[in-house]
Amino acid sequence: MSARDDILGTVRRSLKRGGLTAEQEAPLLARLARPQAGPIPARSAGRDRRGLVELFDSQACEVHATVARVASLADVPAAIGDYLARQNLPAEMTAAPDKLLDGIPWDRRPLLRLKRGKPDPADAVGLSAAFAGIAETGTLMLISGAHSPSTLNFLPDTHVVVLPAARLVGPLEEAWKRLRAATGAMKLAGAAMPRTVNFITGPSRSADIELTLQLGAHGPRRLHIVVVEDDAVA
Amino acid sequence: MLTTSPAFKDNAHRALGDPVLQRALALLKTGFHERRQRAVDRLPEFDALRDAAKAIKDHTLAHLDWYLERFEVNCRAAGGQVHWCRTPEEARQTVLALCRRFNARTATKGKTMIAEEIGLNEFLEENGVEPVETDLGEYIIQLRHEAPSHIIAPAIHLTRTEVAETFRAAHTDLDPARPLDEPRALVAEARARLRQRFLDADVGITGANFLIAETGSSVIVTNEGNGDLTQLLPKAHIVLASLEKVVPTAEDLAVILRVLARSATGQDMSVYTTVSTGPKRPSDLDGPGEYHVVLLDNGRSELLGSEFQEILRCIRCGACMNNCPVYGAIGGHAYGWVYPGPMGAVLTPALIGIEHAGHLPNASTFCGKCESVCTMHIPLPKLMRHWREREYERKLSPRTMRAGLKLWAFLAKRPALYHALTGFAAKLLAALGRRHGSFYNLPLAGGWTATREMPAPQGKTFREQWRERQHNAGTAR
Amino acid sequence: MTDSAATSSKDRPRVGLFVTCLVDLFRPSIGFAAVKLLEQAGCTVEVPEQTCCGQPAYNSGDRVDAKALARRTIAAFEPYDYVVAPSGSCGGMLKEHYPQLLADEPEWGLRAKELATRTYELIAFLYDVRGMRSVAARCTGTATYHDACSGLRELNVRDQPRALLALVAGLRLVELPGAETCCGFGGTFCVKYPEISDRMVAAKAEDVVKTGADLLLAGDLGCLMNMAGKLKRDGHQVAVRHIAEVLAGDLDTPPIAAAKAKG
């Protein structure tokens, strides 16, 4: 008997039943077809976009990310340029080949150099666009794809992420909902699901030595989030 | 992994006498259990979420076969493969075969307790594949050839000085003049060393905090980002997961994530929650070329439907050990196997046999703190008691203890004899202990009186005095 | 209405006192303090034939003996309106564990459940059921209180003792840091793993001494003997008593493990 059949057989024996009948299966299939949310904390409930930005900002700062809020895409180059200068970082970034990022007028900050594509190990600063922002916990959601290499989220020492306020949601469940909607199918199975979905809450850290918090364990030491408040940017 | 659980008492003795370990354990209190409390206090819905999380796990376990099949179907649909393994041996061989297929010389590893459970590192080494632990704590203890002492803080038993010494010994080209006094410097050193290992690795092995049946995904929850570099850079991503890790949907995951990090480290969310589904897609710019899930049973299917089923709800948050006064006194190594603390005291006997792990469920005061903080409402003391029952049935508990208990139970069932003897003992001990009020030394209670006084009885038993009182009241009336 | 102790009424319930084997053998004064408090709370107290609740057997995996003792105890206490124990540990055994232990025996399982609904730890009973809101006792000094585990986590005994102690004239109550952390007694645990037990009680003793209190109180004699034994061995002058003794104003008997009564 194959290990698979053996294991499934033992599971059924232990549960004192055989395989499920079609009748028993129906509610389970329904549960998968229409995933239901559990209790959702009130923390992010009933907030308009502005309220979500406020909550996201404060939650992200609490986990040692930094947040800059700008009015429009046109303000992004200056915001990032200023940030890099403040941190004494080179004005060089490896950017995800993402439509949103491509639409930013980078020439407004001519000294800022951008390289599109996946990062080399030595690259110092990575630039990504967030798929969504979760205000409840100050979490970014990034998904892999032709427009977005996941290594960019981890290899460079500094990670800069552009997040349009229109992509902010309250709880994590809403972020899943956005992904379900984006894939066009309620079901996230198979190819509809991106290879990697990263939920990122602050910069990398470790407390493995004497339980003292150190930032930048393996992933980025700094996470800088630029929130674009212009409602027209989606 | 070899067990030293049978030597629990000796292990504990050594741990209690180790001042460095004791200092490290003192950190647990502020490091973990106060942070957990603060995070819980900040979320009014915590208890409701805990109940919902428990219900999700209970539902999944009741239909585990079905959800595992759905997981497999969906994992395959995304281009992944599922390898079902009954035993640690099957799991080890599966991983090795995969490593050989990729001609792997090194395999980077994110934190996985299943790898510890199946003794993967030793096995890979013996077979010419170098496993490289990349979680900072795991890396440190791998260099020291030690086992983790905590499931989420594997090197919690070590001080910064010990870590510095470990690095100097292992990183032989390290400039002796370079200061490594501060944790910051130590983290930087490990980061630099491991960066190259990530880039060089042929396969990456991670654990899984969860599997999602709906999507066929595995999920890891980390703070360092090592698990991500481990899975994104090499040619293949191998996931080690045990059966009970599966949850139905992404929405169910959201519920459990809210209680996991809060219970574990007091964070609202861990830094990186990564959902991985299959290998890289044709248009993807990076990611592993293959994705394999090694699904381990190792006796868990037998726990279903037994009095121990509830331990399968465990999500390895570590809250039980962080809050356990016994763990706090002796640390994780004393337990002698992979899983320490209260959850280990229940799971370990199931995985290596009560005949080897009998001390673990016995070394508890049943104070109930673990159950009160358990994210998944697992009645840990009750399950430990069930192990004691199994042990008792099989006559595995120490003979002197069994004899003592039998004698006591014999008396307790015979009130006349019981009262005669207790009445006698109370008066005798009271007379002997009258002068000091307590005993410095008492036969048969040496364990107690070695370090504390044994209070002396007052004299007559309550029962005797009550009878006299009733009698006097009767005659007075 | 007669004054016979065998009569109960809504106003004057009959309470069966579960003395506990440790109180019976080591410190009957706690039992008498409990009787006094229960009578102050308007109860008629009786003490039926009893030995031990069976917890040592239960926690050692010996279900057969534990069940035998549970059945005896249930039968002995069924006639009373309430069962009250000056111990969260034994109270928890009767209230929480008997129903589980006997769940596979239809008749006894029901009887255990029924008795559980009428079983209480002493202080919780006085405060929650009898509504005790005044205490006649006086006690000069500074006390601190340790939450014994079973009472705290199985029976929710936490606020009641503090509320009643606040009513004792002359007594100042200081909170014990880590009051909810186990003292390391654990029944047979302290015998099976004396070294670990000692480390736990040493930490507890240290916390107690740091409060500066001259009196340590708790609601379970096992824990009290453990803490008193440690404090005394380490040369600390903290008096240790069961909370019932203080609430009943019975301070004539020497504290636990002490040589003689203080003046």
Side-chain angles (χ1 to χ4, degrees):
Chain A
M1 192 189 269
S2 76
R4 178 186 187 279
D5 295 346
D6 210 6
I7 291 170
L8 289 172
T10 312
V11 167
R12 288 176 190 131
R13 215 167 32 253
S14 293
L15 293 171
K16 295 164 191 74
R17 59 165 172 75
L20 298 182
T21 62
E23 202 181 333
Q24 289 167 321
E25 223 180 350
L28 302 182
L29 285 167
R31 198 183 188 287
L32 287 198
R34 298 206 179 287
Q36 298 295 311
I40 292 181
R43 187 190 280 181
S44 66
R47 287 173 180 262
D48 58 8
R49 188 159 293 167
R50 191 160 182 83
L52 289 177
V53 172
E54 294 293 337
L55 181 60
F56 180 88
D57 190 341
S58 70
Q59 293 295 100
C61 290
E62 206 160 300
V63 295
H64 306 287
T66 49
V67 177
R69 284 148 72 165
V70 300
S72 71
L73 282 181
D75 302 319
V76 172
I80 294 178
D82 291 349
Y83 170 78
L84 295 177
R86 271 202 313 278
Q87 301 293 328
N88 277 325
L89 290 166
E92 267 178 33
M93 295 189 290
T94 306
D98 178 276
K99 264 205 307 238
L100 178 82
L101 301 181
D102 290 347
I104 294 173
W106 294 107
D107 50 1
R108 299 207 174 181
R109 189 84 173 201
L111 289 179
L112 212 49
R113 285 192 304 277
L114 258 71
K115 182 184 88 176
R116 289 170 91 251
K118 64 175 190 174
D120 292 322
D123 291 347
V125 184
L127 176 68
S128 309
F131 175 78
I134 299 160
E136 181 190 347
T137 47
T139 300
L140 296 167
M141 181 185 193
L142 289 98
I143 60 175
S144 63
H147 51 88
S148 165
S150 298
T151 46
L152 201 50
N153 307 340
F154 298 97
L155 278 176
D157 219 23
T158 301
H159 193 201
V160 180
V161 181
V162 177
L163 169 66
R167 296 185 188 179
L168 272 175
V169 295
L172 179 52
E173 285 79 353
E174 293 296 318
W176 281 128
K177 222 184 249 179
R178 279 184 77 92
L179 184 61
R180 288 180 193 285
T183 58
M186 270 306 278
K187 205 163 147 52
L188 280 177
M193 186 74 179
R195 147 63 211 181
T196 307
V197 178
N198 289 124
F199 294 99
I200 300 178
T201 313
S204 159
R205 70 201 58 194
S206 175
D208 273 349
I209 299 171
E210 296 187 356
L211 291 179
T212 49
L213 183 70
Q214 298 298 325
L215 296 183
H218 290 291
R221 219 176 290 258
R222 300 177 201 85
L223 175 65
H224 185 62
I225 304 165
V226 182
V227 178
V228 183
E229 301 199 73
D230 181 354
D231 283 346
V233 181
Chain B
M1 183 177 154
L2 289 176
T3 174
T4 65
S5 297
F8 175 81
K9 278 193 173 183
D10 296 334
N11 298 346
H13 174 77
R14 265 199 311 279
L16 289 166
D18 179 345
V20 178
L21 173 67
Q22 291 299 319
R23 203 146 37 93
L25 288 171
L27 293 171
L28 268 180
K29 204 173 161 172
T30 43
F32 279 135
H33 89 231
E34 286 173 11
R35 274 185 220 166
R36 172 193 173 274
Q37 196 54 52
R38 277 203 300 275
V40 168
D41 292 344
R42 274 171 25 136
L43 188 72
E45 296 89 351
F46 186 80
D47 278 333
L49 283 159
R50 219 171 140 191
D51 293 344
K54 171 185 183 288
I56 289 166
K57 278 287 204 176
D58 280 338
H59 167 82
T60 316
L61 290 172
H63 306 98
L64 188 62
D65 51 334
W66 194 84
Y67 280 114
L68 287 173
E69 287 177 311
R70 291 285 92 54
F71 170 77
E72 184 183 36
V73 166
N74 291 318
C75 177
R76 281 205 183 138
Q81 290 181 50
V82 179
H83 306 266
W84 302 72
C85 298
R86 283 167 288 213
T87 60
E89 176 61 14
E90 286 182 359
R92 286 191 293 264
Q93 293 295 352
T94 304
V95 174
L96 180 63
L98 289 168
C99 288
R100 292 219 161 122
R101 247 184 55 206
F102 291 96
N103 291 319
R105 281 184 305 135
T106 64
T108 40
K109 284 181 66 209
K111 217 167 93 49
T112 145
M113 299 310 290
I114 299 298
E116 300 286 339
E117 189 178 319
I118 65 176
L120 184 65
N121 282 4
E122 300 79 353
F123 180 77
L124 288 180
E125 270 167 35
E126 283 163 18
N127 289 281
V129 180
E130 185 196 359
V132 181
E133 295 291 352
T134 63
D135 172 87
L136 178 58
E138 292 280 353
Y139 175 66
I140 294 165
I141 61 169
Q142 186 186 27
L143 293 180
R144 298 172 62 91
H145 307 287
E146 287 178 3
S149 63
H150 190 287
I151 60 171
I152 61 168
I156 194 172
H157 58 290
L158 299 171
T159 60
R160 65 184 73 183
T161 316
E162 289 172 300
V163 176
E165 284 162 10
T166 304
F167 283 0
R168 288 198 195 282
H171 305 167
T172 45
D173 54 342
L174 187 65
D175 178 1
R178 184 161 153 218
L180 285 180
D181 307 329
E182 290 303 312
R184 172 177 303 278
L186 293 165
V187 171
E189 168 65 12
R191 177 187 170 105
R193 294 279 158 176
L194 284 166
R195 193 43 82 92
Q196 197 53 46
R197 307 308 302 261
F198 283 124
L199 298 166
D200 293 345
D202 305 297
V203 301
I205 301 171
T206 71
N209 292 79
F210 306 97
L211 304 173
I212 307 176
E214 176 199 6
T215 59
S217 317
S218 59
V219 182
I220 58 169
V221 178
T222 72
N223 278 315
E224 297 183 5
N226 63 307
D228 292 279
L229 291 171
T230 296
Q231 65 174 277
L232 289 174
L233 295 171
K235 287 174 265 187
H237 176 198
I238 302 174
V239 179
L240 303 181
S242 47
L243 301 186
E244 81 281 15
K245 298 287 178 192
V246 68
V247 296
T249 64
E251 274 72 4
D252 293 317
L253 173 70
V255 171
I256 302 178
L257 286 177
R258 284 199 182 88
V259 287
L260 172 60
R262 287 182 171 90
S263 300
T265 53
Q267 294 166 281
D268 285 3
M269 278 277 276
S270 299
V271 176
Y272 301 114
T273 298
T274 299
V275 183
S276 311
T277 315
K280 77 184 276 250
R281 309 298 150 74
S283 61
D284 281 358
L285 300 173
D286 53 16
E290 290 195 19
Y291 175 77
H292 297 267
V293 177
V294 176
L295 200 53
L296 176 72
D297 182 348
N298 198 17
R300 287 167 174 82
S301 57
E302 308 265 3
L303 291 181
L304 280 173
S306 79
E307 69 261 56
F308 301 108
Q309 173 169 322
E310 290 178 277
I311 194 64
L312 296 177
R313 282 203 303 269
C314 176
I315 53 169
R316 313 285 189 267
C317 69
C320 63
M321 56 197 77
N322 294 340
N323 285 274
C324 173
V326 174
Y327 181 98
I330 61 176
H333 283 156
Y335 292 81
W337 203 59
V338 179
Y339 303 103
M343 60 76 49
V346 177
L347 190 59
T348 305
L351 298 180
I352 68 172
I354 186 66
E355 62 277 18
H356 300 300
H359 277 301
L360 274 45
N362 276 287
S364 161
T365 62
F366 284 167
C367 77
K369 182 74 182 173
C370 51
E371 181 175 356
S372 76
V373 298
C374 175
T375 318
M376 285 291 160
H377 286 300
I378 301 170
L380 292 155
K382 179 176 141 186
L383 302 190
M384 285 185 237
R385 189 184 294 108
H386 284 324
W387 279 122
R388 297 184 191 183
E389 287 161 5
R390 292 264 180 116
E391 200 187 25
Y392 192 86
E393 282 160 18
R394 290 176 56 188
K395 299 194 181 356
L396 292 168
S397 36
R399 203 187 304 161
T400 45
M401 194 196 90
R402 298 170 61 83
L405 267 173
K406 271 286 161 209
L407 174 64
W408 165 86
F410 175 86
L411 292 171
K413 286 184 281 190
R414 287 163 183 79
L417 191 54
Y418 177 92
H419 293 307
L421 277 172
T422 49
F424 172 73
K427 282 186 280 289
L428 175 69
L429 288 173
L432 290 172
R434 183 150 291 142
R435 234 156 65 92
H436 294 291
S438 64
F439 297 96
Y440 186 79
N441 208 323
L442 203 61
L444 301 176
W448 178 296
T449 55
T451 56
R452 32 200 154 176
E453 300 286 301
M454 175 60 88
Q458 286 174 324
K460 288 179 181 172
T461 64
F462 178 88
R463 187 175 178 277
E464 289 170 311
Q465 295 184 48
W466 179 258
R467 288 201 150 181
E468 286 169 15
R469 202 170 115 161
Q470 297 299 94
H471 182 75
N472 293 343
T475 48
R477 193 178 299 162
Chain C
M1 185 168 160
T2 73
D3 62 348
S4 157
T7 308
S8 70
S9 71
K10 235 187 167 164
D11 304 339
R12 194 162 186 85
R14 277 174 78 211
V15 167
L17 181 69
F18 189 80
V19 180
T20 83
C21 54
L22 282 181
V23 167
D24 182 55
L25 178 63
F26 280 91
R27 204 163 169 83
S29 56
I30 297 170
F32 287 107
V35 171
K36 185 172 170 187
L37 289 165
L38 288 166
E39 287 176 348
Q40 284 174 0
C43 304
T44 300
V45 183
E46 296 183 36
V47 183
E49 182 61 60
Q50 55 187 287
T51 56
C52 168
C53 66
Q55 196 178 154
Y58 182 58
N59 283 346
S60 301
D62 176 4
R63 285 177 78 95
V64 175
D65 282 322
K67 281 179 169 186
L69 287 163
R71 287 189 215 102
R72 295 184 74 97
T73 307
I74 292 167
F77 282 87
E78 270 172 338
Y80 300 93
D81 297 325
Y82 296 105
V83 186
V84 174
S87 155
S89 174
C90 311
M93 181 70 191
L94 269 66
K95 198 175 177 71
E96 294 295 309
H97 297 289
Y98 277 7
Q100 291 184 35
L101 178 64
L102 295 166
D104 55 355
E105 298 183 20
E107 187 211 327
W108 282 105
L110 279 178
R111 290 170 73 174
K113 264 195 205 159
E114 202 282 321
L115 191 75
T117 61
R118 296 183 282 123
T119 301
Y120 293 89
E121 184 275 342
L122 172 68
I123 308 301
F125 179 75
L126 294 173
Y127 193 85
D128 297 338
V129 179
R130 298 305 296 166
M132 184 180 268
R133 294 294 185 275
S134 67
V135 173
R138 236 200 116 71
C139 175
T140 322
T142 304
T144 194
Y145 177 82
H146 163 75
D147 293 278
C149 300
S150 302
L152 174 70
R153 298 196 184 87
E154 290 178 356
L155 305 175
N156 295 316
V157 181
R158 186 164 87 170
D159 300 336
Q160 309 92 326
R162 288 174 172 82
L164 289 180
L165 285 171
L167 301 172
V168 175
L171 190 71
R172 195 170 78 92
L173 189 66
V174 291
E175 271 300 319
L176 173 63
E180 298 186 358
T181 303
C182 178
C183 73
F185 173 65
T188 54
F189 174 85
C190 66
V191 188
K192 286 187 288 187
Y193 302 96
E195 261 194 290
I196 303 173
S197 171
D198 176 58
R199 180 59 55 92
M200 291 162 70
V201 73
K204 179 61 71 177
E206 207 175 291
D207 287 343
V208 170
V209 170
K210 270 193 226 149
T211 64
D214 42 42
L215 179 60
L216 169 64
L217 302 173
D220 242 305
L221 183 53
C223 317
L224 287 163
M225 287 172 65
N226 185 38
M227 295 184 292
K230 187 65 187 175
L231 285 162
K232 183 174 179 188
R233 176 66 58 88
D234 288 358
H236 298 297
Q237 301 296 314
V238 183
V240 181
R241 289 184 183 278
H242 192 284
I243 177 175
E245 297 173 56
V246 171
L247 294 178
D250 171 22
L251 302 172
D252 296 337
T253 49
I256 298 166
K260 57 176 197 281
K262 284 187 184 171

